[in-house]
Amino acid sequence: MKKQYKEYLNLLRVEPDKKISLKKDFETDCKNKPFSKEEGEILLKEGVEYLTRLQDMLYAHDRHSILIVLQAMDAAGKDGAVKHVMSGLNPTGVTVNSFKTPTYNELDHDYLWRHYICLPTRGNFGIFNRSHYENVLVTRVHPEFILNERLPEITSVKDIKHSFWEKRYKQINHFEKTLVDNGTLILKFFLHVSKEEQKKRFLERITNPQKNWKFSVGDAAERKYWDQYMEAYEEMLSATSKDYAPWYVIPADDKWFSRTCMADIIILEAKKLKLHYPVISEAQKESLEKAKEDLLNEE
């Protein structure tokens, strides 16, 4: 991987405890891409092949799990990213969860409960396509949803002060730190799409019969809250990007470029785990040789 490209990927990382502006600090379309689309397709193919080998080693090593968190505005390409970046993984070692409106049973527990029970086990990948961060994004724009949680101290929207959100950020940070301390690598990606590109993709879903099923009137209605969502994302990213669980803001107007960046960031971060195949003892080697001898001597 070229040094210039590595430096670019590092710029996509949100520095811990730094207040950011999505408009000023991050772009939705990389104007000076470090490679062409054709080169990017080759890089993505190589990345997918590496992730295939990585998964095998992750399972054999059996000390870590990898959790990938995807957040974005509608039509930013989350589903496509899962499909293309993770295409080489063995499905038996991957769990994909998309968290929609909480059920009554889920609302009877704390807001992190439904996410905790879906975490990947050691040796496996987990993907949260929308995640526990919906609890400080959608609910931030629509605070009336918090009332469904029936929290003791919240009886009306007026009770939801800024301190409430600060407390949630701390709870999420603590939740993730606990996971990391117990062997989970957490990588969080915000697919940063422009409002103009979202409109283009919405119109394509409406006009293309094969994509009609992807369009929701509710998705279009949420565009009215675009600025509020951007403010919620900025505060959330600033408060919850940590060295142990970083956020990456991926320019998402060009899907092929965002997918390539995601794959390479996962690879760079996973290499830090220093995964390896188990080394067997001398006694185990002797057992293997004995088994080999027995097999060769079979009639």
Side-chain angles (χ1 to χ4, degrees), residues 67-275:
L67 175 64
I68 296 170
V69 174
L70 296 176
Q71 287 290 156
M73 297 296 284
D74 294 308
K78 298 185 300 299
D79 293 339
V82 174
K83 178 180 178 181
H84 288 83
V85 176
M86 304 299 169
S87 61
L89 299 185
N90 184 334
T92 61
V94 185
T95 56
V96 181
N97 290 279
S98 181
F99 298 96
K100 301 184 184 297
T101 303
T103 65
Y104 186 84
N105 181 50
E106 289 168 342
L107 288 169
D108 260 350
H109 295 80
D110 69 89
Y111 70 95
L112 288 172
W113 176 79
R114 66 174 181 157
H115 308 285
Y116 199 94
I117 61 176
C118 292
L119 292 170
T121 55
R122 285 189 178 86
N124 292 298
F125 275 86
I127 301 171
F128 283 2
N129 183 354
R130 296 194 184 279
S131 67
H132 43 294
Y133 284 97
E134 293 289 284
N135 298 283
V136 290
L137 292 169
V138 175
T139 55
R140 188 69 186 270
V141 177
H142 301 284
E144 63 274 16
F145 293 167
I146 291 293
L147 301 180
N148 295 329
E149 297 182 26
R150 305 190 303 283
L151 298 173
E153 73 276 18
I154 304 296
T155 58
S156 72
V157 172
K158 292 181 180 180
D159 296 325
I160 306 173
K161 312 294 185 183
H162 190 264
S163 58
F164 174 85
W165 303 111
E166 290 181 330
K167 183 186 294 185
R168 287 223 154 168
Y169 297 143
K170 290 179 181 178
Q171 290 168 345
I172 290 173
N173 288 335
H174 179 72
F175 167 65
E176 293 180 348
K177 184 65 166 62
T178 300
L179 300 182
V180 172
D181 288 345
N182 284 275
T184 299
L185 171 66
I186 303 176
L187 297 174
K188 303 178 292 192
F189 297 96
F190 170 55
L191 302 187
H192 190 23
V193 70
S194 66
K195 192 174 183 181
E196 294 74 20
E197 180 63 23
Q198 188 198 59
K199 178 180 178 180
K200 177 183 172 182
R201 294 179 187 179
F202 277 173
L203 289 172
E204 184 182 4
R205 291 179 177 183
I206 293 172
T207 56
N208 185 343
Q210 294 181 345
K211 294 187 177 183
N212 287 167
W213 64 274
K214 288 186 174 183
F215 183 74
S216 167
V217 176
D219 293 344
E222 287 297 286
R223 276 175 62 83
K224 294 184 297 183
Y225 303 98
W226 185 276
D227 291 342
Q228 291 97 313
Y229 271 109
M230 291 302 102
E231 291 175 7
Y233 268 108
E234 286 174 350
E235 186 167 322
M236 178 275 289
L237 292 167
S238 299
T240 61
S241 186
K242 302 296 179 182
D243 286 329
Y244 57 82
W247 272 107
Y248 287 89
V249 178
I250 307 295
D253 282 359
D254 273 333
K255 293 180 181 179
W256 67 267
F257 185 68
S258 64
R259 293 164 184 168
T260 303
C261 290
M262 275 186 57
D264 289 331
I265 289 170
I266 295 169
I267 290 169
L268 287 171
E269 292 294 331
K271 284 182 176 179
K272 296 177 184 178
L273 297 178
K274 298 181 180 179
L275 301 174

Side-chain angles (χ1 to χ4, degrees), residues 2-49:
K2 294 181 180 179
K3 181 180 178 181
Q4 179 187 4
Y5 180 38
K6 275 189 177 181
E7 291 174 347
Y8 174 76
L9 293 179
N10 193 51
L11 292 175
L12 303 181
R13 184 170 177 147
V14 178
E15 294 182 23
D17 304 315
K18 178 183 177 182
K19 190 173 182 179
I20 66 161
S21 165
L22 286 171
K23 188 174 183 179
K24 295 178 181 179
D25 299 330
F26 298 96
E27 54 190 0
T28 60
D29 182 14
C30 179
K31 298 298 186 295
N32 298 303
K33 295 182 177 66
F35 43 77
S36 66
K37 183 176 181 179
E38 291 72 22
E39 292 171 325
E41 289 173 348
I42 294 172
L43 284 172
L44 180 57
K45 182 180 179 181
E46 292 174 347
V48 169
E49 291 173 351

